[in-house]
Amino acid sequence: MSEKPPLKEYITECPRCQQRVTAEVEAFNEFSPDDDFELIRHLIARCRLCYQTLLLEENQDPKFRRELNCVWPTPPRSLAETIPEVLRREHFEARTCFKSKAYTATVVMVRRTLEGVCTQYGITKKPLYKAFEEMESLGLIEGRLLEWAQELRVLGNEGAHFTGKPVTRQDASDAIALAEALLDYLYVFSEQFLKFKERRKDATEMAKKASQGEPSESTKTENDGSQ
């Protein structure tokens, strides 16, 4: 089977630029089956904006296709649905600012996201550092997370007020990553841990009842249904 050579350029999402870019192909392999027996090939390309090397994936398709998915570096992930929509929206705007290279605006939006977190938990103390301290006293965040939140608050203050000191790309990138980690801890991992504890508690109670010869809730339901 003859294989057509790829185009010289494709449109893709550059994880470094965090925007759609033109990527110039430098090398590629032949189509081969993947684990699902679909024919795919990979192309090594370079972003025309930041010159980041990208690994693109192309499925064999008779249709003309100029847009490919970037599989490396890993594209930014979507926030979990368990995170309140209002906070996801604030964080999306922070990412949008970062894509536009508006790094000062990025850290300001991250700070707004942190303010939103406090509001979601009903904490209205001012200034913001006192709100974080109250979150710690309530057991919502721990020492390291409090340190992260305070550092993000300080960075957000530097962005909100003129200091003559520019916010670097790295600072803005770190602010987004740390804010995501904080959101994950509060709305994803903590919730998963609580559900895990509940399941373990239920399993322990069922095992205790079984050892004492008491019927479980499921057995009671089955017996009631057979009557």
Side-chain angles (χ1 to χ4, degrees):
M1 179 180 62
S2 61
E3 299 186 8
K4 296 181 180 179
L7 300 175
K8 293 183 178 181
E9 294 180 340
Y10 287 90
I11 303 298
T12 190
E13 184 86 8
C14 175
R16 184 176 182 185
C17 297
Q18 295 197 15
Q19 61 181 301
R20 289 163 60 81
V21 300
T22 300
E24 184 176 358
V25 175
E26 297 187 340
F28 65 97
N29 65 350
E30 301 298 327
F31 282 105
S32 59
D34 62 3
D35 292 339
D36 297 323
F37 298 100
E38 293 184 2
L39 293 178
I40 64 171
R41 69 176 166 193
H42 292 94
L43 303 89
I44 297 176
R46 189 176 298 274
C47 173
R48 295 289 297 273
L49 286 181
C50 69
Y51 304 105
Q52 168 70 45
T53 299
L54 307 172
L55 180 63
L56 309 182
E57 186 174 86
E58 179 181 25
N59 295 318
Q60 190 182 45
D61 192 327
K63 296 180 181 179
F64 177 83
R65 181 182 299 171
R66 189 162 185 263
E67 296 189 17
L68 297 182
N69 290 329
C70 175
V71 295
W72 186 90
T74 306
R77 66 180 179 84
S78 300
L79 294 180
E81 293 293 327
T82 52
I83 298 173
E85 193 274 335
V86 63
L87 299 181
R88 284 186 278 123
R89 184 174 65 244
E90 292 289 321
H91 195 64
F92 175 78
E93 289 194 25
R95 284 181 173 177
T96 301
C97 291
F98 186 82
K99 287 181 180 180
S100 302
K101 300 183 179 181
Y103 303 134
T104 299
T106 299
V107 299
V108 172
M109 288 307 305
V110 167
R111 190 183 189 284
R112 278 175 54 97
T113 304
L114 299 180
E115 291 175 346
V117 168
C118 296
T119 300
Q120 288 292 308
Y121 280 97
I123 298 174
T124 58
K125 277 192 174 181
K126 302 293 182 181
L128 189 56
Y129 77 88
K130 288 189 175 293
F132 290 149
E133 289 176 350
E134 183 175 350
M135 289 185 71
E136 184 190 32
S137 67
L138 294 174
L140 297 173
I141 56 176
E142 300 172 359
R144 180 58 60 87
L145 288 172
L146 174 63
E147 183 181 354
W148 286 1
Q150 296 290 26
E151 288 297 327
L152 290 176
R153 176 189 62 81
V154 172
L155 185 59
N157 285 345
E158 292 178 0
H161 305 287
F162 180 76
T163 62
K165 179 183 177 182
V167 176
T168 67
R169 181 185 187 281
Q170 188 62 59
D171 281 345
S173 178
D174 289 344
I176 289 177
L178 289 174
E180 287 182 8
L182 185 63
L183 292 172
D184 282 340
Y185 176 85
L186 291 170
Y187 296 102
V188 181
F189 303 139
S190 295
E191 182 174 332
Q192 288 179 343
F193 182 62
L194 289 175
K195 290 181 179 179
F196 169 75
K197 288 175 64 178
E198 290 175 1
R199 289 194 300 268
R200 293 290 298 167
K201 180 181 178 181
D202 292 342
T204 301
E205 291 178 352
M206 290 178 63
K208 182 178 180 181
K209 289 180 179 179
S211 65
Q212 296 174 350
E214 297 181 17
S216 64
E217 291 298 325
S218 59
T219 303
K220 289 181 180 179
T221 302
E222 291 176 0
N223 292 337
D224 292 342
S226 61
Q227 293 177 357

